[in-house]
mmCIF file with all atom_site columns, all heavy atoms in Angstrom:
data_model
loop_
_atom_site.group_PDB
_atom_site.id
_atom_site.type_symbol
_atom_site.label_atom_id
_atom_site.label_alt_id
_atom_site.label_comp_id
_atom_site.label_asym_id
_atom_site.label_entity_id
_atom_site.label_seq_id
_atom_site.pdbx_PDB_ins_code
_atom_site.Cartn_x
_atom_site.Cartn_y
_atom_site.Cartn_z
_atom_site.occupancy
_atom_site.B_iso_or_equiv
_atom_site.pdbx_formal_charge
_atom_site.auth_seq_id
_atom_site.auth_comp_id
_atom_site.auth_asym_id
_atom_site.auth_atom_id
_atom_site.pdbx_PDB_model_num
ATOM 1  N N   . ARG A 1 16  ? 19.741  -26.995 -83.472 1.00 84.00 ? 300 ARG A N   1
ATOM 2  C CA  . ARG A 1 16  ? 18.816  -27.995 -83.274 1.00 84.00 ? 300 ARG A CA  1
ATOM 3  C C   . ARG A 1 16  ? 19.115  -29.215 -84.078 1.00 84.00 ? 300 ARG A C   1
ATOM 4  O O   . ARG A 1 16  ? 19.452  -29.121 -85.170 1.00 84.00 ? 300 ARG A O   1
ATOM 5  C CB  . ARG A 1 16  ? 17.386  -27.396 -83.560 1.00 84.00 ? 300 ARG A CB  1
ATOM 6  C CG  . ARG A 1 16  ? 16.999  -26.328 -82.728 1.00 84.00 ? 300 ARG A CG  1
ATOM 7  C CD  . ARG A 1 16  ? 15.670  -25.573 -83.190 1.00 84.00 ? 300 ARG A CD  1
ATOM 8  N NE  . ARG A 1 16  ? 15.308  -24.688 -82.152 1.00 84.00 ? 300 ARG A NE  1
ATOM 9  C CZ  . ARG A 1 16  ? 14.189  -24.877 -81.549 1.00 84.00 ? 300 ARG A CZ  1
ATOM 10 N NH1 . ARG A 1 16  ? 13.484  -26.025 -81.588 1.00 84.00 ? 300 ARG A NH1 1
ATOM 11 N NH2 . ARG A 1 16  ? 13.830  -24.010 -80.547 1.00 84.00 ? 300 ARG A NH2 1
ATOM 12 N N   . LEU A 1 25  ? 6.035   -37.092 -70.971 1.00 90.00 ? 309 LEU A N   1
ATOM 13 C CA  . LEU A 1 25  ? 6.017   -35.893 -70.254 1.00 90.00 ? 309 LEU A CA  1
ATOM 14 C C   . LEU A 1 25  ? 5.087   -36.055 -68.981 1.00 90.00 ? 309 LEU A C   1
ATOM 15 O O   . LEU A 1 25  ? 4.172   -36.747 -69.021 1.00 90.00 ? 309 LEU A O   1
ATOM 16 C CB  . LEU A 1 25  ? 5.369   -34.676 -71.068 1.00 90.00 ? 309 LEU A CB  1
ATOM 17 C CG  . LEU A 1 25  ? 5.225   -33.419 -70.549 1.00 90.00 ? 309 LEU A CG  1
ATOM 18 C CD1 . LEU A 1 25  ? 6.568   -32.623 -70.548 1.00 90.00 ? 309 LEU A CD1 1
ATOM 19 C CD2 . LEU A 1 25  ? 4.262   -32.554 -71.327 1.00 90.00 ? 309 LEU A CD2 1
ATOM 20 N N   . LEU A 1 98  ? 21.196  -38.462 -79.056 1.00 84.00 ? 382 LEU A N   1
ATOM 21 C CA  . LEU A 1 98  ? 21.166  -38.682 -80.582 1.00 84.00 ? 382 LEU A CA  1
ATOM 22 C C   . LEU A 1 98  ? 21.669  -40.023 -80.940 1.00 84.00 ? 382 LEU A C   1
ATOM 23 O O   . LEU A 1 98  ? 21.240  -40.579 -82.040 1.00 84.00 ? 382 LEU A O   1
ATOM 24 C CB  . LEU A 1 98  ? 22.080  -37.608 -81.161 1.00 84.00 ? 382 LEU A CB  1
ATOM 25 C CG  . LEU A 1 98  ? 21.586  -36.173 -81.038 1.00 84.00 ? 382 LEU A CG  1
ATOM 26 C CD1 . LEU A 1 98  ? 22.505  -35.178 -81.584 1.00 84.00 ? 382 LEU A CD1 1
ATOM 27 C CD2 . LEU A 1 98  ? 20.172  -35.878 -81.766 1.00 84.00 ? 382 LEU A CD2 1
ATOM 28 N N   . LEU A 1 126 ? -9.526  -57.915 -71.684 1.00 49.00 ? 410 LEU A N   1
ATOM 29 C CA  . LEU A 1 126 ? -10.672 -57.224 -71.311 1.00 49.00 ? 410 LEU A CA  1
ATOM 30 C C   . LEU A 1 126 ? -10.599 -55.886 -71.591 1.00 49.00 ? 410 LEU A C   1
ATOM 31 O O   . LEU A 1 126 ? -9.633  -55.291 -71.469 1.00 49.00 ? 410 LEU A O   1
ATOM 32 C CB  . LEU A 1 126 ? -10.948 -57.401 -69.797 1.00 49.00 ? 410 LEU A CB  1
ATOM 33 C CG  . LEU A 1 126 ? -11.259 -58.782 -69.172 1.00 49.00 ? 410 LEU A CG  1
ATOM 34 C CD1 . LEU A 1 126 ? -11.256 -58.714 -67.709 1.00 49.00 ? 410 LEU A CD1 1
ATOM 35 C CD2 . LEU A 1 126 ? -12.493 -59.374 -69.701 1.00 49.00 ? 410 LEU A CD2 1
ATOM 36 N N   . ALA A 1 143 ? -18.427 -54.617 -47.983 1.00 93.00 ? 427 ALA A N   1
ATOM 37 C CA  . ALA A 1 143 ? -19.371 -55.041 -46.982 1.00 93.00 ? 427 ALA A CA  1
ATOM 38 C C   . ALA A 1 143 ? -19.335 -56.503 -46.776 1.00 93.00 ? 427 ALA A C   1
ATOM 39 O O   . ALA A 1 143 ? -19.403 -57.030 -45.667 1.00 93.00 ? 427 ALA A O   1
ATOM 40 C CB  . ALA A 1 143 ? -20.777 -54.581 -47.407 1.00 93.00 ? 427 ALA A CB  1
ATOM 41 N N   . ALA A 1 146 ? -16.234 -57.430 -44.811 1.00 94.00 ? 430 ALA A N   1
ATOM 42 C CA  . ALA A 1 146 ? -16.292 -56.993 -43.440 1.00 94.00 ? 430 ALA A CA  1
ATOM 43 C C   . ALA A 1 146 ? -17.322 -57.982 -42.657 1.00 94.00 ? 430 ALA A C   1
ATOM 44 O O   . ALA A 1 146 ? -16.957 -58.457 -41.561 1.00 94.00 ? 430 ALA A O   1
ATOM 45 C CB  . ALA A 1 146 ? -16.875 -55.640 -43.377 1.00 94.00 ? 430 ALA A CB  1
ATOM 46 N N   . THR A 1 148 ? -17.881 -61.164 -43.460 1.00 95.00 ? 432 THR A N   1
ATOM 47 C CA  . THR A 1 148 ? -17.232 -62.386 -43.440 1.00 95.00 ? 432 THR A CA  1
ATOM 48 C C   . THR A 1 148 ? -16.276 -62.483 -42.226 1.00 95.00 ? 432 THR A C   1
ATOM 49 O O   . THR A 1 148 ? -16.127 -63.375 -41.353 1.00 95.00 ? 432 THR A O   1
ATOM 50 C CB  . THR A 1 148 ? -16.461 -62.790 -44.688 1.00 95.00 ? 432 THR A CB  1
ATOM 51 O OG1 . THR A 1 148 ? -17.418 -62.748 -45.803 1.00 95.00 ? 432 THR A OG1 1
ATOM 52 C CG2 . THR A 1 148 ? -15.787 -64.163 -44.643 1.00 95.00 ? 432 THR A CG2 1
#
Side-chain angles (χ1 to χ4, degrees):
R300 293 172 174 253
L309 180 77
L382 296 173
L410 293 174
T432 302

